[in-house]
Amino acid sequence: MHLSVSDVSKTYDQRGSHVLALDHVSLDVAFGEFVCLLGDSGCGKSTLLQIIAGLEPASQGGILIDGRELVGCHPDTTVVFQEHGLFPWMTVLRNIEFNLKARGMAAAKRHEIAARLVETVGLAGFEKKYPHELSGGMRQRVGIARALATSPKLLLMDEPFGALDAQTRSAMQAELLRLWAAHRSAVVFVTHSIEEAVFLADRIVVMTPRPGRIGRIIDVDLPRPRDPTSEAFVHHVKIALETLHTPRALLAPS
């Protein structure tokens, strides 16, 4: 799957005035690529993700998937939000099966897929537990397993680890990379953490403060697994940090 964000702008009407959230954003994401959208709060990165997901219309421009304009939600796209969104009355297994059931898959087949994913995300033995019986990291694992159940070609993630403690967040980052390597979906991942972006991404798209534009795209050509204490890692963090602090007028236009 090839994703193309084509000259996207987004304007909101607030109390009779127009607020420009995104300003002429263009971006291409290739199949199997891991791209992070990095920026301060309010820069429009989550808005851009929602437009890519088909959950929010663009005011100008559009989204192309494999050369075709996106209208509504694409069947090969799945979104994971910071809030895991699990159904509290469903067990781990039933939550993972949910999207498969919604697509009309037979019970035996969806149970087989869900059971395999439970193993994949390290939750064997918790199949019959309910969300309130799990830790935050475990609930997010269930959310990711549910997202992967339909084998999406494009996985969109909006700060999925933002509410986790540092140790759990680090473990989930490593787990996500392991799952991505196995499934090879294209991933667009929103974060405001520079270290998280450098740890995860093939490319980091640094967005300017509102109105959101692409200030710079940083290629992260470090081998995985990445060592956050290495000189090369720290160098990439420095580049991203300097970009975030560079005045908008000095950044290359998107």
Side-chain angles (χ1 to χ4, degrees):
M1 172 182 285
H2 183 270
L3 166 69
S4 181
V5 178
S6 180
D7 197 32
V8 164
S9 295
K10 179 65 179 181
T11 302
Y12 290 102
D13 292 326
Q14 291 185 354
R15 299 178 182 177
S17 62
H18 299 296
V19 176
L20 183 60
L22 293 170
D23 187 21
H24 298 287
V25 174
S26 294
L27 174 68
D28 288 300
V29 179
F31 178 77
E33 188 177 18
F34 201 123
V35 172
C36 279
L37 303 180
L38 174 68
D40 295 331
S41 297
C43 71
K45 54 190 185 295
S46 292
T47 298
L48 178 58
L49 196 82
Q50 290 176 21
I51 292 172
I52 294 172
L55 301 174
E56 183 82 30
S59 302
Q60 176 181 317
I63 306 298
L64 301 177
I65 294 182
D66 291 335
R68 296 184 176 181
E69 186 174 0
L70 177 68
V71 179
C73 300
H74 194 280
D76 289 327
T77 298
T78 302
V79 188
V80 178
F81 296 102
Q82 183 172 330
E83 291 296 328
H84 49 74
L86 302 182
F87 298 110
W89 61 88
M90 291 185 183
T91 63
V92 165
L93 203 64
R94 297 304 182 205
N95 264 289
I96 297 173
E97 288 183 17
F98 178 79
N99 290 337
L100 298 174
K101 184 177 181 180
R103 295 187 178 201
M105 183 178 289
K109 181 63 177 176
R110 65 176 187 257
H111 183 83
E112 175 189 339
I113 293 172
R116 184 173 69 248
L117 281 167
V118 165
E119 293 278 350
T120 300
V121 298
L123 289 175
F126 292 88
E127 294 90 341
K128 296 182 179 180
K129 297 292 185 181
Y130 290 87
H132 74 273
E133 299 177 289
L134 307 176
S135 68
M138 293 169 77
R139 288 194 292 269
Q140 200 58 284
R141 285 172 188 250
V142 179
I144 292 172
R146 184 174 64 185
L148 293 174
T150 57
S151 299
K153 293 180 181 178
L154 176 61
L155 182 59
L156 306 175
M157 310 188 80
D158 192 357
E159 300 200 56
F161 310 142
L164 303 179
D165 62 81
Q167 184 174 350
T168 303
R169 184 172 186 155
S170 179
M172 288 301 300
Q173 289 167 355
E175 181 72 13
L176 173 60
L177 287 176
R178 185 179 70 82
L179 294 170
W180 169 70
H183 288 260
R184 277 299 174 180
S185 302
V187 178
V188 179
F189 186 106
V190 167
T191 183
H192 62 264
S193 167
I194 296 173
E195 289 78 9
E196 182 168 66
V198 174
F199 186 77
L200 294 173
D202 295 316
R203 289 189 299 151
I204 301 172
V205 178
V206 183
M207 299 189 66
T208 67
R210 193 171 67 189
R213 300 173 183 146
I214 294 178
R216 183 176 182 180
I217 297 179
I218 301 169
D219 292 318
V220 186
D221 54 354
L222 303 178
R224 295 183 174 94
R226 294 171 180 168
D227 177 5
T229 65
S230 71
E231 184 177 343
F233 190 99
V234 173
H235 174 68
H236 281 78
V237 169
K238 183 180 179 182
I239 292 172
L241 184 61
E242 289 175 347
T243 302
L244 285 172
H245 290 168
T246 299
R248 180 198 301 273
L250 299 179
L251 292 170
S254 60

